[in-house]
Amino acid sequence: MSLQEQAATVAPAVSASPPVLASIAVARPVRGEFTYSVPESLASQLAPGQRVLVPFGRGTALGFYLGPAARPPGENVRLKPIQRVLEDSPSLPKDLIALLRFAAEHYRYPLGEVIRGSLPPGLSKPVDEKEAKPDVQHFAVALVNEVPPSLARAHAQSAALAYLLAVGGSAPLEEVSHAIPGARAHLKSLASKGLVRVEEKKLEAGVKEGLIQGRPDRLTPEQDVAGGTLREALDTGAFQPFLLHGVTGSGKTEVYLRAAEHALSLGKGSLILVPEIALTPQLVGRFRSRFGSEVAVLHSALKDRERLFHWQALRKGEVKIAVGVRSAVFAPVENLGLIVVDEEHDPSFKQDDSLRYQARDLAVVRGKQAGAVVVLGSATPALETLENVKKGRYRLLELKRRVDDRPMPTIEMVDLRQERPRDGMMTDEAPILSPPLLAAMEQTLGKGQQVILFLNRRGHSTVLLCEVCGVSLKCTSCDVCMTHHRSQNRVVCHYCGLAMPVPDRCLECTGPMLKLGIGTERVEAEVLERIPTARVARLDRDSATSAEKLTEMLAAFARRELDVLVGTQMVAKGHDFPGVTLVCVVMADTSLAIPDFRAAERTFHLLTQVAGRAGRGKDPGRVLVQTYNPDAEPVKRVLAHDFDGFAQQELEWRKALAYPPFARMASIRLEGEHPEQTASVARHLGNIISRNMPPASVGVRLLGPAVAPIAKIRGKTRWQLLLKGPTHVALAPLLARVEAALVDVPSAVKVVIDVDPGAML
């Protein structure tokens, strides 16, 4: 049974009639709902979704009132009373309570913690509503359409103005201040120059504060058909899920905008989910440009006060459209009519800690509960989504051509086996930029056009290896090799952050150390060495250490103040740079060797997405893919623009091996400081699962217990067990067994259940 099918089994919200006993979810890591008595003085104040203060254990705790409760069995049960109601109106609407209950049950997580995690800071603590209310909102509005040349050297002021322009010309001052340190002073200076205006106001429905621009006069025929189908679906007011499969540059965002516009005309709200909003300011800008202050933005880069402001504006119905990252799937959008999940294939939609939910799947569940239209958009849809289309669960909308009939970029392969021959270990510093790639870069830059170099690995060299004994330098706390960062003259573990100076000699035998592999830092250095006249910048987590640096770098590249952008997957998502005509994938092989059944799919997705950055302006695009594995299936299919062929072959392989989407999976991960104790607990849980398999779990297979692919992180040993079964229902009894057994697990061993795991490491 799929997630969307299970949604039909969620119990409806209970009546709001004055209760004698109340069902409360407590914001503590405890499972289940608790029954409290309701004092007469509070009975008339309670409504489902309100935050309350309740006694719990020896102290008090934040609780959430879910509705009336029946008296627990037992005559002598003494119930504690609710102490205080913390707000006049519920923070959570009834429809959101149903979604949160479903998420807690499906992902095996305490309901109270699920609810608390869905709320913004200010509502996730036991404080009264009046203490949590923000003050009047201040907006910064740009009065120009570009950064004047006179500000080019005033980096801080230029960054503040560039941020405003990147997000549509207007933004709350709290948001700009968080993204650009010292922004208040910079904006005051810009205001004195007549470049910016700072306004004080409250969000009001219908007010258009953004710059109304960028709306195309005509849609392509494919956009028109897709838009018409979505308008008809919205008019019916019923749940209808769609896959919008559009090639890069085909205008999917404009389809989203028109659909949201139609939903708004019907008095309905829209929820737009994107993988990483800090990396896609252009999308936020387009929505603000079209809808102004009808748009609330929800992501962790905002200050706590700002996130609370946007949440409350949505909850009160003052704002109808929410744009955010995965956690925005819980946004309290009133009268929800449209849900869009852009780049729905992206792994970022899966949360990998606390409540380990998949936001794309919960968006479908929420759409079913709300009777909303759900649009999953991608140039490279997830195989799970494609299978839902094949089974008739989702309707398919296609955009096969780029806007203005721009051609798809030509994709060429560079075989590094011939272009970069390796003569044993001694050529460890051989150039990574092959002659064909360098020639293409020089030709592109000679025309005044821009280049993106993509490599999904940061640092300079990825491995330090002893030339004598062959031992690689590994982190002392994690079972992974340390990465050499030449600019810092340090080696760093990318899992726990441990760093140390680069050793001159092998720590085992004192032999000389070889620096093997490549990272973005080394690629940047090589570009500067080979093409010294090029203006080069590097975009990865080492260089973009703040939202200010990230925004200014992207804005500078958009203004063509940079010629070459070297980056990790940060450069692959959501950016639209018309000046880019050449994209080079420096090493296509980095993700193929990961021990994960999704490795080929993610390699194909990433290569296609980064290739899609080329040729989005008037000039045609070209893509070069350097690889040591030209026969690898994802590489061959990308070269041929053959997503359908890749998907068909990959689905056949998944079906033969019973992997998703043809099976449901759950991972049970363990980590502990004592290797023997951790292994013992893993084997114990494996025995509990295997013993007397219940009839409901026929067809479930247990893989493991086994040491995890990364056997140690931060000094803790890691084990895992994998369950594969035909449905989630078949997995549920076995996961319940594991949960029941956790009470006897030593506290030194942490056990985590991950339903629908996104990664196998």
Side-chain angles (χ1 to χ4, degrees), residues 33 40 109 179 195 280 303 312 358 366 481 595 623 647 685:
E33 300 175 21
E40 270 187 54
Y109 205 72
L195 301 174
T280 53
K303 284 189 175 180
Q312 290 181 329
Q358 168 45 269
R366 186 170 185 186
C481 295
V623 179
L685 293 180

Side-chain angles (χ1 to χ4, degrees), residues 367-384:
K368 183 167 187 175
Q369 292 177 338
V373 171
V374 180
V375 182
L376 309 181
S378 177
T380 54
L383 296 183
E384 289 84 352

